[in-house]
Amino acid sequence: ARVRVCACVCVQQVVQDRGFNGAEEARAFLSGDVRACIFSAPESAPHGRLSLEFAAEGDEPSIQVDIVVEWCGAQGAPAMRSTYITSELLRQTVRMPGNRDEVSLVESLTRYEPPSRDEQGLLVRARNRIALYLDDPSAKGTQAQRQALAAGRAVAVYDYAWVMRPLPSAAIPSQSKEA
């Protein structure tokens, strides 16, 4: 799947637009209509919370996904003169009316290359690896059995190559906003 990923370049630093990127990734990989995508940093989640809401499709109910950044760290030159690596531990909760919440831990490692230019202008390339772990202390039944079988090991690993480009503010969809 092809995903538009946006970065803001400010004083030689690159910062993701989490709301826009979350909506674009969800649209590409979950093939749902993203009704809302909000990034915030409330006291309860000082490293950040991303909330996505998917419109109902046919007989399916709407889905809400909350991703809380539990921990984050970085290594390298934040001024982006050399490779920069970020590591995050995220708690993802998927909510569907009539179903139990599905809780998992997501480990995300991203290696950013220094900004460069091509025929389309400024860009930042990155490699991202995501590992998904089942981690729900309140799991019951089949969900608890799957979690026990996983025994703390990753149940899925995804590798992505990103190309991030600054986008004019007019190109950012209205459902992408920061709270």
Side-chain angles (χ1 to χ4, degrees), residues 6 14 20 27-28 33 39 51 55 58 66 72 87-89 93 96 105 115 118 123 130 137 150 159 163 167-168:
C6 177
V14 176
F20 179 85
R27 218 177 261 109
D33 181 22
F39 181 77
S51 297
D66 286 317
C72 60
S87 175
E88 297 177 305
L89 184 62
T93 304
M96 290 176 49
L105 282 178
D118 67 5
L123 65 95
I130 293 177
D159 284 312
V163 175
L167 292 177

Side-chain angles (χ1 to χ4, degrees), residues 131-172:
L132 179 71
Y133 303 86
L134 302 178
D135 183 56
D136 184 356
S138 66
K140 293 183 179 11
T142 306
Q143 193 174 0
Q145 291 171 346
R146 287 194 314 249
Q147 190 167 305
L149 183 61
R153 295 181 300 259
V155 295
V157 177
Y158 305 96
D159 284 312
Y160 301 107
W162 294 350
V163 175
M164 294 180 282
R165 298 179 184 281
L167 292 177
S169 60
I172 298 174

Side-chain angles (χ1 to χ4, degrees), residues 16 71 73-75 84-88 108-112 128:
Q16 283 195 61
W71 179 89
Q75 177 181 344
Y84 186 65
I85 299 170
T86 61
S87 175
E88 297 177 305
S108 176
L109 298 169
T110 308
R111 177 182 175 191
Y112 298 89
N128 175 245

Side-chain angles (χ1 to χ4, degrees), residues 64-96:
Q64 182 178 349
V65 178
D66 286 317
I67 301 171
V68 175
V69 181
E70 299 282 343
W71 179 89
C72 60
Q75 177 181 344
M80 293 301 293
R81 290 184 189 95
S82 65
T83 300
Y84 186 65
I85 299 170
T86 61
S87 175
E88 297 177 305
L89 184 62
L90 315 165
R91 180 164 309 279
Q92 176 177 284
T93 304
V94 179
R95 293 184 176 90
M96 290 176 49

Side-chain angles (χ1 to χ4, degrees), residues 5 24 32 43 49 52 59 63 72 75 82 84 99 111 129 154 158 162 172:
V5 182
E24 286 295 304
E43 248 181 71
R49 164 178 274 128
L52 297 151
D59 294 338
I63 299 171
C72 60
Q75 177 181 344
S82 65
Y84 186 65
N99 293 322
R111 177 182 175 191
R129 173 167 284 177
Y158 305 96
W162 294 350
I172 298 174

Side-chain angles (χ1 to χ4, degrees), residues 14-69:
V14 176
V15 179
Q16 283 195 61
D17 179 335
R18 293 239 186 210
F20 179 85
N21 294 349
E24 286 295 304
E25 288 179 39
R27 218 177 261 109
F29 299 109
L30 302 177
S31 65
D33 181 22
V34 179
R35 185 183 304 160
C37 184
I38 300 169
F39 181 77
S40 61
E43 248 181 71
S44 61
H47 297 297
R49 164 178 274 128
L50 181 64
S51 297
L52 297 151
E53 184 179 335
F54 297 90
E57 291 184 10
D59 294 338
E60 297 292 319
S62 62
I63 299 171
Q64 182 178 349
V65 178
D66 286 317
I67 301 171
V68 175
V69 181

